Amino acid sequence: MEKNIYEKIFDISNENMQKSGNRFAHPKSAFLCYAELDPHKVDLIELSKVEADNSEFLDIAYINLLNRPVDPDAYQSWKKHFNMPEWQFRTLVIQRLVSSKEATVCHKRIYNNIFVRKKLSAKKDSLKSKAMEKLLPVYRRLPEKIKAPIRKLAGGN
């Protein structure tokens, strides 16, 4: 099978790095995954199917969900989990990264999130969302002078 262009680029760059006495800090699989996937959205089912061991998957998940490689401190803290079964490790990584504050800043569209944790207070959340659904049209029609204090009370800016 012929290599794709991204694989060729990585191989050439890697060869040049080795000649200069250096090496890439992250695996080829992470680079290829990032180069080939849509940078604005992540399908978590597809991400979970990527062929990689746990350490490679960590790099792949960070690059695809946070737009950056895993930093050395985070890598060290995740290292103790590398011996977990693959599915369990991937679930843990995806759950933590998707729910992180950093992930919300990346503005990625997350699709097929089968890894979402079930909330214990689903009934309470359901009532809250129904109330918000009813109040939102009223809120939108309010003058800005009234909206500002309401946002402040609700914890917004």
Side-chain angles (χ1 to χ4, degrees):
M1 188 168 137
E2 190 173 319
K3 293 181 182 181
N4 70 31
I5 189 69
Y6 297 115
E7 197 169 357
K8 289 177 185 176
I9 290 169
F10 184 91
D11 289 342
I12 291 168
S13 300
N14 190 39
E15 187 179 314
N16 290 336
M17 292 276 289
Q18 288 176 350
K19 286 177 184 175
S20 69
N22 294 308
R23 66 179 187 82
F24 282 113
H26 304 282
K28 182 180 192 175
S29 57
F31 172 78
L32 293 176
C33 202
Y34 187 72
E36 294 169 355
L37 297 177
D38 188 327
H40 304 292
K41 62 184 179 181
V42 181
D43 183 329
L44 294 181
I45 291 175
E46 291 303 314
L47 181 64
S48 69
K49 290 179 184 177
V50 170
E51 289 187 36
D53 63 28
N54 285 348
S55 66
E56 289 176 330
F57 180 78
L58 182 65
D59 274 305
I60 291 167
Y62 262 77
I63 287 173
N64 282 282
L65 292 167
L66 303 180
N67 290 332
R68 68 174 180 84
V70 61
D71 55 276
D73 292 337
Y75 186 86
Q76 287 306 314
S77 72
W78 279 105
K79 203 173 186 178
K80 64 184 172 220
H81 300 290
F82 286 168
N83 61 349
M84 291 172 80
E86 183 179 284
W87 182 253
Q88 189 179 0
F89 179 77
R90 290 176 183 217
T91 300
L92 181 64
V93 169
I94 291 171
Q95 283 177 342
R96 288 198 184 158
L97 295 183
V98 167
S99 64
S100 72
K101 289 181 182 178
E102 187 176 353
T104 59
V105 174
C106 291
H107 302 293
K108 294 253 185 160
R109 289 185 183 232
I110 305 293
Y111 295 96
N112 298 319
N113 190 354
I114 59 171
F115 303 93
V116 70
R117 293 182 184 173
K118 300 288 182 209
K119 292 185 179 182
L120 297 175
S121 59
K123 189 174 183 179
K124 185 179 175 184
D125 286 348
S126 176
L127 289 172
K128 183 180 176 184
S129 66
K130 283 181 184 177
M132 292 303 291
E133 190 177 293
K134 300 285 185 193
L135 292 172
L136 194 56
V138 174
Y139 170 81
R140 286 185 178 146
R141 285 184 255 138
L142 293 172
E144 189 57 36
K145 286 181 181 180
I146 296 173
K147 285 182 182 179
I150 292 173
R151 280 195 304 269
K152 199 169 203 171
L153 278 171
N157 46 4

